[in-house]
Amino acid sequence: MTDIDQARVAELTEREEARLAERLPRSIDLAKRASQSLAGGVACTWHALDPYTIYGARGRGSRLWDLDGNEYVDMHCGYGVMVAGHAHPKVVEAVRGRVGLGTHFAMPVRETVEVAELLAERFGLPLWRFKNSGSEATMDACRIMRATTGRDLVIKVEGSYHGSSDGLAFSYWVDVERAGAADRPVAVHNTAGVPEAFGSVLRIVQFNDLEAVERVLADEGDRVAGMILEPILMNVGVIQPDPGYLSGLRDLLHRHGALLAFDEVKTGVTIAAGGATEWSGVRPDVVALAKAIGGGIPVAAIGGTEEAMRVLVDGTLEGEGTFNGNPLSMAAARAVLTEVLTPDVYERFEAQNARFTAALQDVIARHDLPATVSTVRCRGSIHFRAEPVRNFRDEAGSDGPLQHLAWLFQLNAGVFPPAGDPWTFSVVHTDEDLDRYVGAFEGFAAAVTS
Ligand SMILES: Cc1ncc(COP(=O)(O)O)c(C=O)c1O
């Protein structure tokens, strides 16, 4: 395995950051103006990239253009939202059609019912509600589990991000030094402003650690409402569940009268028609969806079994939200589900991904890089670590500076990937688009090992 020379990495990083600055004069300029009116110059903390925030201009298909006119193959897809591709004609047509008919009433519309039916069929879960963001959907998933069981504790996986609600703003990307023993992690704040009390009703476990869940249930099973997790971890690169992990969780939780919630905000309708629920064959009690289902229009959904959703049916649990099931969002979601992310798409993703993964693995092998590739259909990531990654702490031990340099090489080659998240490709990405990513990765690998 090639030993990475960190001095060489630092030198290349400086060179690539200087090249990036040359490409982004207008963005760098707008950032100065933006800081006068937008807190931190951005609308979302994650938009502020290191070293420069890139301001966008437009997108079409697999490509997007920034304010300086640079064209990118978009492998970010807006945090995994744009699996339909930018400005997909079917989504544009659906949104245009609805805009002229009025976009918001205090009434559900026909599309609200149709989208619920489509999701029920895909996920094998009969009852649905709509929200506007993934954060709301996961917040409600926890509420449903707590209201159904009358218990307070929720088990959460370390490293998994479930959005910005107070109840779940713990233990996603945290300093391992503060996070307790690996087999008994403690809830660690991710942001200021959240009372400690919210963390006291969470129990934190590592991904792929069934025994840890068993222990929590043995100790406090009669207080545990359920467990929420991403069935495939997608906020620390892609980390896949061990065989039997998800079904083991479901059986364990049910044995203790607790529920299982899948956060499929990233996996839902993207890696399979029925998301990771279909992919794994494990049906949870509750599922939270968002991102890709709206084709770029904000929408989220929450689905569940009749038992889990009874609290919403009988009114025990209030399911509020002015924009829930907004007609514009519903029109976009119906188009995505019926005309864009159709069943044939997932087989195509599988074939494209096999070719793409093999090409990346070939680069790693030829340059003997300490890295592994983990992909599921249109999502994937490179972990800059030689050993397999099974949980957040493995990923936290990976080479951050090397990852940052690999990202800079992509930007300068006209590819826009997320800085740490998994990449996403869309229904309109071609093999040539993916080859641009491979080419930039090859350039990075050659430079860093030369
Ligand atoms: C797995 C997962 N859950 C929930 C969320 C929160 O979604 P939103 O940003 O729409 O609130 C995200 C966002 O990245 C996510 O990746």
Side-chain angles (χ1 to χ4, degrees):
M1 188 82 35
T2 305
D3 265 343
I4 299 299
D5 175 355
Q6 290 299 335
R8 173 95 181 124
V9 171
E11 180 193 315
L12 287 167
T13 300
E14 198 176 318
R15 186 190 82 187
E16 292 302 310
E17 289 188 348
R19 284 185 64 207
L20 189 61
E22 280 169 27
R23 290 164 57 86
L24 301 173
R26 289 194 186 138
S27 272
I28 291 170
D29 222 36
L30 187 59
K32 290 181 201 134
R33 175 176 152 199
S35 65
Q36 305 300 307
S37 57
L38 282 169
V42 286
C44 161
T45 298
W46 297 337
H47 292 175
L49 298 178
D50 171 28
Y52 307 111
T53 296
I54 304 176
Y55 290 81
R58 65 192 174 92
R60 187 156 201 91
S62 61
R63 306 295 168 101
L64 68 81
W65 287 263
D66 68 19
L67 196 64
D68 286 280
N70 297 303
E71 182 217 60
Y72 303 86
V73 168
D74 188 5
M75 296 292 285
H76 197 309
C77 284
Y79 304 108
V81 168
M82 301 309 301
V83 181
H86 295 287
H88 192 289
K90 294 291 182 192
V91 179
V92 171
E93 186 186 312
V95 169
R96 275 211 182 110
R98 169 43 77 180
V99 140
L101 298 174
T103 56
H104 189 70
F105 323 110
M107 295 173 185
V109 291
R110 181 185 294 274
E111 291 95 318
T112 323
V113 182
E114 288 169 347
V115 176
E117 289 168 352
L118 289 163
L119 293 175
E121 198 182 322
R122 283 182 178 229
F123 286 83
L125 290 166
L127 293 174
W128 291 79
R129 279 285 176 95
F130 295 104
K131 311 294 285 188
N132 307 289
S133 69
S135 299
E136 289 174 89
T138 55
M139 178 180 76
D140 272 21
C142 294
R143 274 201 185 163
I144 288 169
M145 294 195 293
R146 286 173 167 139
T148 297
T149 58
R151 303 171 178 177
D152 280 348
L153 300 183
V154 166
I155 303 174
K156 180 196 175 289
V157 168
E158 191 175 71
S160 196
Y161 174 70
H162 297 297
S164 53
S165 71
D166 284 352
L168 289 164
F170 292 83
S171 298
Y172 35 101
W173 190 267
V174 289
D175 178 0
V176 172
E177 298 293 311
R178 294 170 50 224
D183 60 345
R184 286 176 194 268
V186 294
V188 179
H189 270 106
N190 270 89
T191 175
V194 177
E196 205 69 58
F198 288 99
S200 72
V201 284
L202 293 177
R203 293 294 177 269
I204 309 296
V205 295
Q206 293 278 340
F207 194 61
N208 277 324
D209 188 352
L210 209 50
E211 276 175 25
V213 177
E214 206 162 355
R215 198 166 39 240
V216 172
L217 290 167
D219 290 351
E220 306 181 273
D222 57 346
R223 295 181 59 213
V224 174
M227 174 166 179
I228 185 164
L229 84 161
E230 290 175 271
I232 305 169
L233 218 54
M234 288 203 178
N235 281 293
V236 279
V238 170
I239 304 181
Q240 311 207 19
D242 289 345
Y245 175 61
L246 298 174
S247 57
L249 287 178
R250 179 197 51 201
D251 297 346
L252 255 179
L253 289 157
H254 285 181
R255 216 175 303 139
H256 288 266
L259 304 184
L260 175 66
F262 278 175
D263 175 350
E264 291 226 43
V265 166
K266 277 198 164 132
T267 49
V269 315
T270 63
I271 60 155
T277 296
E278 177 190 324
W279 177 84
S280 67
V282 177
R283 193 183 75 146
D285 301 287
V286 181
V287 71
L289 306 176
K291 295 197 192 272
I293 57 173
I297 305 293
V299 59
I302 178 145
T305 59
E306 284 189 12
E307 296 74 22
M309 298 299 264
R310 188 172 300 135
V311 286
L312 279 162
V313 175
D314 69 17
T316 307
L317 175 59
E318 294 255 10
E320 317 91 338
T322 299
F323 283 104
N324 291 0
N326 169 260
L328 195 63
S329 307
M330 292 294 107
R334 186 180 61 174
V336 166
L337 295 173
T338 57
E339 302 191 85
V340 184
L341 296 181
T342 46
D344 54 304
V345 155
Y346 306 98
E347 280 163 38
R348 210 165 68 233
F349 282 162
E350 181 80 27
Q352 273 183 295
N353 185 44
R355 181 181 174 279
F356 183 39
T357 304
L360 293 170
Q361 281 168 338
D362 177 56
V363 174
I364 290 172
R366 274 189 292 102
H367 295 277
D368 211 12
L369 274 181
T372 52
V373 185
S374 178
T375 61
V376 183
R377 300 200 171 146
C378 63
R379 311 258 198 206
S381 64
I382 295 169
H383 297 285
F384 287 93
R385 185 179 196 271
E387 301 78 28
V389 172
R390 290 185 61 245
N391 56 42
F392 161 73
R393 294 196 187 199
D394 289 345
E395 173 62 11
S398 66
D399 188 334
L402 200 56
Q403 180 174 341
H404 180 64
L405 179 61
W407 177 74
L408 290 169
F409 264 82
Q410 293 292 347
L411 289 180
N412 286 328
V415 180
F416 185 60
D421 260 15
W423 63 68
T424 302
F425 61 84
S426 77
V427 293
V428 287
H429 277 65
T430 61
D431 286 345
E432 290 68 39
D433 288 326
L434 303 181
D435 287 347
R436 196 188 288 187
Y437 188 102
V438 177
F441 186 57
E442 171 83 53
F444 151 79
V448 92
T449 56
S450 68

